[in-house]
Amino acid sequence: MAGRLPRSADLTRFCQKLNRVKTLEEDMMETNFNRCLSTIDLTLLGIGGMVGSGLYVLTGTVAKEIAGPAVIVSFIIAGFASLLAALCYAEFGARVPKTGSAYMFTYVSMGEIWAFLIGWNVLLEYMIGGAAVARAWSGYLDSIFNHKIKNFTETHIGTWQVPFLAHYPDFLAAGILLIATAFISFGAKVSSWLNHVFSGISLGVILFILIMGFILAEPKNWSAQEGGFAPYGLSGIMAGTATCFYAFVGFDVIAASSEEARNPQKAIPRAIAISLGLATGAYILVSVVLTLMVPWHTLDPESALADAFYRRGYSWAGFIVAVGSICAMNTVLLSNLFSLPRIVYAMAEDGLFFQIFSRVHPRTQVPVIGIVVFGVLMALMALIFDLEALVQFLSIGTLLAYTFVAASVVVLRFQQERSAAPPQPAGSQSSPGPNEGAGPSELKEYESFSDKLQLVGTDKAKVHREPGQLKAAFEPYLEFLRDFYPGEVVTVAVVTLMVSAICLCSILVFGNTHLHLPTWSYSLLLLLFSLGFLLSLLLIGVHEQQQSTQTFQLPLVPLTPALSILLNTYLMLKLSYMTWLRFSVWLIIGLLVYFGYGIWHSKENLREPTSRSVSARYVVFPSSSLEETVQAVQPNPQPLTGLPEMVTEEAKR
């Protein structure tokens, strides 16, 4: 038994390492980047990230192969799911204006290993997304010249017949990525200016499509003779929703750029709301126009919009659409190349990724090494890989990130603010003392017992309820919950809520098809997991949360993030099993990187020994008697001689 105790302690310490959260600086606005982006800059970055190849390619593909004209409903549901996630990003981006997006938000609330895995998946999402858009850009430009570029490449260079590799090397796609990489490396101002130009042209072309499209619209294309409005039924609409979700993944570029925003507390929420609203409206209206112009079953998935105008006899309009699509895809390329190096920078700055990527160029104030390295990797992927089979990776990685951000909002909202967090909400009270910087969620530490005695009366008189504590109205009915630390019950309830959501969605997706459950067991399981989800939600709701902060707050917490978790989980389970298999392989590679490098070089790991520099500390636990509140905390596992006796004597006095 004696030999097992150290191993048990080591395991506990190891688990604590995996779940340690990031310590934020006192000055949240301090940064190595150039804070030069306005609300308009951020809004156009978000629009550029969302309105690209999805509008010109994805709309036609989903309409023809998955949902029919009901693709409109698919975009509405996907837009709603994205809105729930976007509001979570808006609260975090305003509260923690640091680069890193979902990675950073998960790190400050959930723990280190979860943050690394989210960041690791976002890296792949951006690389595949950028390469896929470059391929689509190349295909659209090639179609304008009657595929002369493709024919020339196949004739003079040759073709490949290798699994996972493209049919031929796409030098045009690789070239445009390298050119975009060069422009991005000149700084955020240059990137923003380029994005303004391409976004302006893209929005003008979309307006042209809507005007011309409604003029050419024929309602008979939604009639029963053409298959009706929803030929694939509800299952087709929901399957289309999972695919359409890919169209909205670009808004997180705004959160990733928060460290370069002039006034992130106001600019981030406004930019996210405006850009997502405009992008959702554009997708819905373009879907209406496209399916009314020509019968949905005759659409060309590769260039649906341009082909629709060609077939209606307006070849000049088709040319304008093709040019607009190229400009829109340029904005997506800029968005991907802008966000990816900044997330890599955030991970490297925290020590979880290779330190070379944390270097910022002194003149341009951008992470040039990350931009160049990942720009070249993206270009190589676009050159040789067949990306169609990997595109669903974008959805699964993004949905997972959205789920963790939603859960992080709940956890952080019901936690007491830490010392390095943003300023405390108005009206909150904190006890003065020698350790003035300690937030209410931290255990208050005093160098001497006399310091503690001077403040006992203040602590006893304090009646303000902190975030994470049980609400006074529910104490008579849930008194057993008072024994837990503030926020502890909420954290357990969030985990239970996520597990219930996974089980509930699994029954909904696989219950009748794969599991072939009888009706009674199907209904019973749905009832049980629904009750688990609702009870977890209620358990969270009976606790106090942070109120009246100076930054944007997500409304209807915990209901809004809970709905986001439920929708994201459902959409993830609608993806194919091959997507999950590839995703699992990528996760395993990420775990090897983390345990081989990140866990040892983490700044939080290097910061741990400094917390043990005090010879003895007195920790005050509120709502207890004087004898129970004073406990000696050892700075290291070895006990200091005479310390317990000293505490006893001091307590007696």
Side-chain angles (χ1 to χ4, degrees):
M1 288 296 293
R4 293 180 183 177
L5 291 177
R7 287 199 294 271
S8 177
D10 291 341
L11 181 61
T12 302
R13 198 176 302 116
F14 178 69
C15 292
Q16 290 173 345
K17 282 180 179 290
L18 297 182
N19 291 283
R20 58 196 169 198
V21 296
K22 179 177 173 62
T23 303
L24 296 172
E25 298 82 2
E26 290 285 352
D27 185 4
M28 296 292 290
M29 296 296 288
E30 184 180 348
T31 177
N32 294 324
F33 290 106
N34 179 20
R35 288 197 179 274
C36 60
L37 300 180
S38 65
T39 302
I40 295 176
D41 296 329
L42 293 169
T43 300
L44 289 176
L45 272 175
I47 292 174
M50 287 183 279
V51 182
S53 58
L55 189 75
Y56 295 92
V57 179
L58 190 66
T59 307
T61 302
V62 176
K64 182 176 182 179
E65 300 175 357
I66 302 177
V71 63
I72 301 163
V73 183
S74 296
F75 273 119
I76 292 173
I77 299 173
F80 176 71
S82 298
L83 175 64
L84 296 177
L87 291 173
C88 297
Y89 273 76
E91 173 166 338
F92 262 112
R95 230 177 127 177
V96 186
K98 292 292 182 182
T99 192
S101 188
Y103 156 77
M104 179 63 66
F105 305 156
T106 307
Y107 203 173
V108 300
S109 56
M110 301 289 283
E112 185 171 284
I113 188 170
W114 310 110
F116 178 86
L117 292 177
I118 291 297
W120 182 250
N121 286 311
V122 170
L123 295 187
L124 183 66
E125 169 200 326
Y126 278 121
M127 282 197 293
I128 293 177
V133 171
R135 277 253 172 193
W137 183 97
S138 171
Y140 248 87
L141 185 64
D142 198 18
S143 67
I144 296 177
F145 299 102
N146 296 320
H147 302 288
K148 290 181 179 178
I149 301 173
K150 174 185 175 182
N151 295 334
F152 178 85
T153 305
E154 290 180 345
T155 303
H156 294 84
I157 297 178
T159 60
W160 300 326
Q161 301 295 334
V162 181
F164 300 109
L165 295 185
H167 187 60
Y168 66 96
D170 196 335
F171 291 100
L172 185 59
I176 187 61
L177 277 169
L178 293 176
I179 293 172
T181 299
F183 277 109
I184 290 291
S185 63
F186 290 146
K189 263 297 180 187
V190 175
S191 307
S192 178
W193 179 82
L194 272 177
N195 185 70
H196 284 195
V197 173
F198 289 127
S199 294
I201 297 173
S202 177
L203 291 174
V205 171
I206 291 171
L207 189 61
F208 168 79
I209 291 171
L210 295 178
I211 294 172
M212 284 292 297
F214 278 114
I215 292 173
L216 300 174
E218 295 180 350
K220 68 176 184 180
N221 290 323
W222 285 5
S223 65
Q225 290 86 347
E226 298 293 348
F229 179 75
Y232 297 99
L234 182 61
S235 61
I237 291 174
M238 296 311 298
T241 300
T243 306
C244 290
F245 200 85
Y246 161 63
F248 299 100
V249 300
F251 73 79
D252 60 348
V253 65
I254 299 173
S257 312
S258 57
E259 200 162 338
E260 289 159 282
R262 292 176 191 161
N263 185 8
Q265 284 77 15
K266 293 182 179 179
I268 298 297
R270 290 174 182 173
I272 287 178
I274 296 170
S275 61
L276 186 63
L278 290 175
T280 305
Y283 275 108
I284 293 170
L285 292 175
V286 168
S287 299
V288 172
V289 164
L290 180 62
T291 53
L292 284 175
M293 283 177 62
V294 294
W296 61 270
H297 52 81
T298 64
L299 292 171
D300 179 6
E302 293 185 359
S303 55
L305 280 168
D307 182 68
F309 281 105
Y310 280 123
R311 289 169 52 194
R312 292 299 300 269
Y314 293 86
S315 56
W316 58 271
F319 181 81
I320 292 175
V321 171
V323 172
S325 70
I326 290 173
C327 290
M329 292 179 199
N330 282 336
T331 63
V332 179
L333 288 179
L334 292 172
S335 173
N336 279 271
L337 285 168
F338 190 88
S339 303
L340 176 57
R342 283 155 176 80
I343 294 172
V344 174
Y345 165 84
M347 296 175 70
E349 180 70 11
D350 292 332
L352 300 185
F353 207 59
F354 306 110
Q355 286 292 316
I356 191 171
F357 294 113
S358 65
R359 298 178 185 175
V360 175
H361 194 278
R363 185 172 61 84
T364 60
Q365 292 182 288
V366 293
V368 174
I369 295 176
I371 292 172
V372 172
V373 169
F374 283 92
V376 171
L377 286 175
M378 210 180 286
L380 287 173
M381 291 180 69
L383 177 69
I384 62 174
F385 281 108
D386 177 15
L387 298 164
E388 291 182 5
L390 299 177
V391 164
Q392 283 196 357
F393 247 145
L394 304 179
S395 292
I396 193 170
T398 305
L399 288 166
L400 188 67
Y402 289 177
T403 302
F404 268 85
V405 171
S408 298
V409 166
V410 180
V411 172
L412 200 64
R413 183 73 74 85
F414 289 87
Q415 276 184 353
Q416 299 168 342
E417 294 194 35
R418 291 188 290 272
S419 59
Q424 289 186 359
S428 65
Q429 302 175 13
S430 59
S431 300
N435 202 12
E436 190 71 31
S441 68
E442 297 292 328
L443 300 176
K444 293 185 283 292
E445 299 172 4
Y446 302 94
E447 294 290 335
S448 69
F449 188 75
S450 59
D451 289 335
K452 192 268 162 192
L453 287 177
Q454 294 171 8
L455 295 164
V456 167
T458 305
D459 283 341
K460 287 285 185 180
K462 186 177 178 180
V463 295
H464 175 73
R465 288 188 176 272
E466 301 291 351
Q469 290 182 331
L470 190 65
K471 291 180 178 178
F474 296 98
E475 280 191 350
Y477 313 102
L478 302 171
E479 192 167 352
F480 64 96
L481 295 179
R482 294 182 59 188
D483 298 332
F484 295 92
Y485 293 118
E488 188 176 5
V489 175
V490 173
T491 303
V492 174
V494 169
V495 174
T496 306
L497 184 142
M498 295 180 73
V499 172
S500 300
I502 293 171
C503 296
L504 179 61
C505 293
S506 298
I507 297 300
L508 287 172
V509 175
F510 305 116
N512 288 329
T513 55
H514 294 73
L515 300 178
H516 302 292
L517 295 174
T519 305
W520 68 269
S521 61
Y522 179 82
S523 303
L524 179 62
L525 289 173
L526 280 182
L527 178 63
L528 288 176
F529 293 129
S530 298
L531 286 174
F533 185 86
L534 292 174
L535 287 175
S536 302
L537 199 59
L538 290 173
L539 199 57
I540 297 170
V542 299
H543 288 80
E544 298 284 353
Q545 59 177 292
Q546 296 175 15
Q547 299 290 344
S548 304
T549 62
Q550 298 176 354
T551 59
F552 171 80
Q553 279 198 317
L554 177 69
L556 300 176
V557 173
L559 179 62
T560 306
L563 288 177
S564 180
I565 291 170
L566 192 63
L567 272 173
N568 296 335
T569 305
Y570 180 84
L571 294 176
M572 276 193 287
L573 293 176
K574 291 290 286 185
L575 298 172
S576 67
Y577 75 93
M578 283 302 298
T579 301
W580 280 96
L581 182 61
R582 298 187 191 104
F583 177 70
S584 301
V585 172
W586 181 250
L587 278 184
I588 291 171
I589 297 172
L591 289 172
L592 292 176
V593 173
Y594 174 73
F595 288 112
Y597 181 88
I599 193 172
W600 309 108
H601 295 82
S602 167
K603 282 190 175 180
E604 296 301 322
N605 185 54
L606 301 176
R607 188 180 279 116
E608 283 180 354
T610 61
S611 64
R612 301 192 178 104
S613 58
V614 182
S615 59
R617 299 181 301 186
Y618 296 91
V619 184
V620 179
F621 295 92
S623 303
S624 301
S625 63
L626 177 60
E627 289 77 17
E628 292 170 336
T629 57
V630 184
Q631 297 181 23
V633 179
Q634 303 297 340
N636 51 54
Q638 287 76 26
L640 297 178
T641 307
L643 185 59
E645 291 79 6
M646 179 187 71
V647 175
T648 305
E649 292 298 320
E650 289 283 338
K652 289 178 180 178
R653 293 174 193 159

